[in-house]
Amino acid sequence: MSIGVDRIKDLNTETLGANKTLGVGDAFIQRIDPGGSARDILLPAEAQGLHVLINNTADASEALTVKEDGDSTTIVSIAQNEEAELWCDGTEWFGNVTDNT
């Protein structure tokens, strides 16, 4: 399943060099290394049923700050070795962070 389309659960593994914007066609599971610096992840515009899992694979203390598409509201902050499951009810994003250690 991608963020916005049902299908086999897919995976993106990536090291960032800048902030990242997710789209509804991106992989459901995002394994992201911030690449040496804290980064922002912008979610797609609110729509019913969107769902994504983001895992911070940093090798140091580098956080991922996940924000709504307008870049003004933080939904969650994901520290090294944490992951967040995020979902949307059509008007608002929600998230839950868990520790992977």
Side-chain angles (χ1 to χ4, degrees):
M1 150 177 18
S2 65
I3 293 174
V5 181
D6 288 340
R7 63 180 187 200
I8 296 172
K9 290 191 176 181
D10 46 2
L11 168 70
N12 174 54
T13 300
E14 183 175 359
T15 299
L16 299 181
N19 294 334
K20 180 174 179 70
T21 299
L22 294 173
V24 295
D26 286 336
F28 169 68
I29 301 169
Q30 296 284 325
R31 297 194 71 228
I32 297 177
D33 180 340
S37 182
R39 307 284 182 195
D40 290 345
I41 307 290
L42 297 183
L43 295 166
E46 292 81 358
Q48 177 69 36
L50 297 183
H51 187 208
V52 63
L53 183 70
I54 302 173
N55 182 268
N56 184 339
T57 62
D59 59 359
S61 181
E62 304 153 14
L64 294 170
T65 301
V66 182
K67 299 180 176 183
E68 49 78 36
D69 63 309
D71 195 17
S72 61
T73 302
T74 297
I75 309 302
V76 295
S77 184
I78 311 167
Q80 177 187 17
N81 297 321
E82 290 183 340
E83 70 182 11
E85 184 172 10
L86 298 115
W87 60 94
C88 185
D89 67 0
T91 58
E92 190 173 358
W93 279 98
F94 302 91
N96 185 46
V97 177
T98 57
D99 191 349
N100 283 336
T101 56

